[in-house]
């Protein structure tokens, strides 16, 4: 099971790096980001991840984190925040009012979101760390309902605020 846990944690570390990639997209060179990714995945995440995983100090103090939702997202979010504080605002995005940077392909964005959502079923279901059907069933139903409810709530809010539903907001 050691190798299984290694791969599981490696995916968490990689996911933390992808959170940063969204924050710095179009503002850093690929080579620089790859070096940053090696450092965050190979050095920083294993340290922060060990605070919870494997009986770390957070775990010993009663912290519970299902599927890495706090560890991965907080770590990735704080790393992204550090990067954007160093980089500053996106050029052309702010100034005389906010200027949205529109995505180039809504069908591709939708396909990406559905692939991500589909992946969550395996990821979240696997995070149960057992093959017990009741536990896996509960997690996968919650995964489906959470994604659907978030999308529906966003469609309703954008319809009320903007007078029409916004697919890009719903995909987010």
């Amino acid at each position: 099971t050691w190798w299984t846990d290694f791969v599981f944690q490696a995916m968490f570390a990689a996911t933390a790096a992808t959170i940063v990639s969204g924050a710095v997209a179009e503002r850093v060179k690929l080579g620089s980001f790859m070096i940053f990714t090696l450092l965050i995945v190979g050095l920083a995440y294993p340290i922060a991840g060990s605070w919870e995983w494997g009986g770390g100090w957070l775990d010993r103090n009663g912290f519970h984190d299902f599927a890495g939702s706090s560890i991965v997202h907080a770590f990735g979010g704080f790393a992204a925040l550090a990067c954007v504080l160093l980089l500053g605002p996106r050029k052309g995005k702010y100034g005389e009012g906010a200027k949205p940077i529109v995505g180039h392909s809504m069908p591709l964005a939708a396909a990406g979101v559905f692939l991500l959502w589909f992946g969550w079923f395996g990821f979240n279901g696997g995070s149960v760390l057992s093959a017990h059907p009741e536990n896996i069933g509960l997690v996968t139903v919650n995964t489906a309902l959470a994604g659907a409810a978030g999308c529906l709530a966003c469609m309703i809010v954008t319809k009320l605020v903007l007078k029409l539903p916004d697919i890009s907001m719903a995909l987010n």
Side-chain angles (χ1 to χ4, degrees), residues 70-168:
S70 296
I71 298 294
V72 175
H73 290 90
F75 178 80
F78 285 124
L81 177 62
C83 288
V84 299
L85 287 174
L86 289 172
L87 292 172
R90 292 180 194 271
K91 290 181 180 167
K93 171 87 172 146
Y94 301 103
E96 297 291 323
K99 298 177 188 95
I101 300 173
V102 180
H104 75 284
S105 173
M106 280 300 115
L108 284 177
V113 167
F114 287 120
L115 285 170
L116 181 61
W117 193 12
F118 180 72
W120 280 329
F121 288 99
F123 189 80
N124 290 350
S127 294
V128 174
L129 301 177
S130 77
H132 193 278
E134 186 176 322
N135 293 341
I136 293 173
L138 177 63
V139 168
T140 55
V141 167
N142 284 336
T143 299
L145 293 177
C151 182
L152 182 61
C154 185
M155 295 292 273
I156 291 168
V157 169
T158 56
K159 173 78 172 158
L160 292 172
V161 173
L162 304 173
K163 306 299 182 225
L164 60 125
D166 184 332
I167 189 68
S168 65

